[in-house]
C-alpha cells in the first residue's frame, strides 16, 4: 500500500485520522479488517460517527468519514459536555460554544 486518502473530515486533519486508523504505508491492502479500522477511528475521533473503508487496487486505501454535529450540551460534574443528536458524548464546550446548543438538564 502506498496511499491512504481521507475525505469528509473537517474536525480533524487527514493526518490525524490516518495516524489513529492503524493503516500504514507498506502494509498489504488485506492486512487489516475494515471493521477494526472503523472502530479505531471512531474511538479516537469522537466527532466521527461513521467511517467507510475502500480498498482501491493496486495500492490505495480510501477512508470516507461522516462527522456528527453538536446539537445538545449538558453540565456533567461542572463540565459542559457536547452531545450529538443521538446523545453521543463528543467532547467539551466553552460556555460561548454551549450558547449555540440546546441545554439538557439531567437529574442529579
Amino acid at each position: 500500500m502506498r496511499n491512504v486518502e481521507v475525505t469528509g473530515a473537517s474536525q480533524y486533519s487527514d493526518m490525524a485520522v490516518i495516524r489513529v486508523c492503524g493503516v500504514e504505508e507498506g502494509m498489504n491492502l488485506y492486512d487489516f479488517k475494515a471493521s477494526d479500522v472503523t472502530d479505531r477511528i471512531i474511538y479516537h475521533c469522537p466527532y466521527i460517527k461513521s467511517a467507510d473503508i475502500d480498498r482501491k487496487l493496486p495500492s490505495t486505501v480510501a477512508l470516507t468519514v461522516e462527522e456528527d454535529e453538536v446539537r445538545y450540551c449538558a453540565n456533567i460534574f461542572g463540565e459542559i459536555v457536547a452531545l450529538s443528536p443521538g446523545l453521543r458524548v463528543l467532547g467539551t464546550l466553552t460556555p460561548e460554544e454551549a450558547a449555540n446548543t440546546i441545554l439538557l438538564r439531567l437529574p442529579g
Side-chain angles (χ1 to χ4, degrees):
M1 179 174 36
R2 291 191 194 110
N3 302 311
V4 180
E5 302 170 349
V6 178
T7 57
S10 62
Q11 293 286 330
Y12 305 97
S13 70
D14 292 355
M15 285 308 301
V17 175
I18 292 168
R19 196 171 26 256
V20 301
C21 77
V23 176
E24 299 174 0
E25 188 176 313
M27 291 176 73
N28 184 296
L29 282 177
Y30 298 97
D31 279 348
F32 58 89
K33 289 175 48 179
S35 60
D36 291 343
V37 172
T38 298
D39 290 346
R40 279 193 293 272
I41 292 171
I42 293 170
Y43 177 79
H44 290 287
C45 302
Y47 277 86
I48 295 176
K49 69 177 175 180
S50 68
D52 183 50
I53 297 14
D54 186 25
R55 294 171 171 97
K56 295 181 179 181
L57 296 175
S59 62
T60 300
V61 171
L63 306 172
T64 304
V65 299
E66 183 181 0
E67 294 183 334
D68 243 334
E69 62 178 297
V70 176
R71 173 83 48 89
Y72 308 106
C73 71
N75 187 325
I76 300 176
F77 299 113
E79 191 170 43
I80 302 172
V81 205
L83 301 168
S84 73
L87 301 180
R88 280 184 351 122
V89 175
L90 302 176
T92 58
L93 297 173
T94 65
E96 295 79 23
E97 293 168 327
N100 298 322
T101 64
I102 299 168
L103 175 64
L104 300 180
R105 296 195 189 275
L106 304 175

